[in-house]
Amino acid sequence: EAQVTQNPRYLITVTGKKLTVTCSQNMNHEYMSWYRQDPGLGLRQIYYSMNVEVTDKGDVPEGYKVSRKEKRNFPLILESPSPNQTSLYFCASSIYTKPYEQYFGPGTRLTVT
Amino acid sequence: AQTVTQSQPEMSVQEAETVTLSCTYDTSESNYYLFWYKQPPSRQMILVIRQEAYKQQNATENRFSVNFQKAAKSFSLKISDSQLGDTAMYFCAFMKQVGAGGTSYGKLTFGQGTILTVHP
């Protein structure tokens, strides 16, 4: 089954404790991106990647890092999480030539206390 | 920069009736895509419908149709014969059409969302 998976689905952590949210897709997609969803703000792009070793900032990259060492994986790293990073996070992917056909992961609910 | 505005935070409709969700956007681009996504309580993002800006014909998908007014920069979603399973948050989104590797390639810009409740 073609899908985007995220782990963990739920995470409660404390300020300053480094964490990684994983994203993996099995569709051989070149393009991958991360969004965060906050009430009243919709979803906003954090980072995106056009292919292996090619990443760039989205609209809200502060406090996040990403890496793209393999085509299927695009982890989101919070090196020192803060309460304002409490949010719902989505990973998405698409074929490079069809960015308008994006597949979303199931979401990760992160709470930073 | 593009902006997308959904001015209706919440809407409700009776089962089997029709409801229209509003969306306006602001852009200087000529070529772009517009989308409506559904987010049910499971939180999964589900594409409902997509419209290419160069197409004059409004997109339809079964009970879902859009009214795309390019000059007015308006993109409303009409749900006919509403069903209980349509209860969800609905997001309007914009994606500009750029060349390969261009800035903001593949970026979706979302509105704030509209919570739709379908009552039995």
Side-chain angles (χ1 to χ4, degrees), chain B residues 35-86:
Chain B
F35 308 82
W36 279 99
Y37 282 90
K38 172 185 177 181
Q39 187 180 54
S42 66
R43 304 198 309 248
Q44 182 68 47
M45 293 292 287
I46 301 166
L47 177 66
V48 175
I49 203 162
R50 181 180 79 225
Q51 174 80 43
E52 289 85 353
Y54 68 87
K55 290 186 178 179
Q56 293 187 341
Q57 188 172 5
N58 290 323
T60 63
E61 287 287 343
N62 301 313
R63 298 182 295 108
F64 299 88
S65 62
V66 298
N67 184 3
F68 173 46
Q69 301 289 327
K70 191 172 184 179
K73 296 179 182 174
S74 170
F75 185 62
S76 61
L77 175 70
K78 185 172 82 171
I79 306 174
S80 304
D81 185 26
S82 296
Q83 301 176 359
L84 296 178
D86 295 333

Side-chain angles (χ1 to χ4, degrees), chain A residues 26 29 33 44 48 57 67 75-76 88 96-100:
Chain A
N26 62 1
H29 286 169
S33 62
R44 295 174 292 166
Y48 66 97
K57 298 176 181 178
S67 69
L76 180 69
L88 177 60
Y96 183 73
T97 53
K98 294 184 177 181
Y100 47 83

Side-chain angles (χ1 to χ4, degrees), chain A residues 73-94:
Chain A
N73 297 323
F74 189 44
L76 180 69
I77 303 158
L78 286 72
E79 295 211 326
S80 184
S82 62
N84 64 12
Q85 293 177 298
T86 292
S87 188
L88 177 60
Y89 291 86
F90 286 96
C91 180
S93 73
S94 73

Side-chain angles (χ1 to χ4, degrees), chain A residues 1-5 24-27 72 103, chain B residues 44:
Chain A
E1 178 190 357
Q3 60 182 350
V4 179
T5 58
S24 183
Q25 48 87 11
N26 62 1
M27 296 167 280
R72 64 183 295 127
Y103 292 73
Chain B
Q44 182 68 47

Side-chain angles (χ1 to χ4, degrees), chain B residues 9-15 17 19 21 79 82-90 114-120:
Chain B
E10 295 187 40
M11 295 277 286
S12 65
V13 65
Q14 293 296 125
E15 197 174 8
E17 294 188 346
V19 64
L21 307 184
I79 306 174
S82 296
Q83 301 176 359
L84 296 178
D86 295 333
T87 292
M89 172 85 85
Y90 287 81
T114 296
I115 299 172
L116 175 67
T117 303
V118 180
H119 297 286

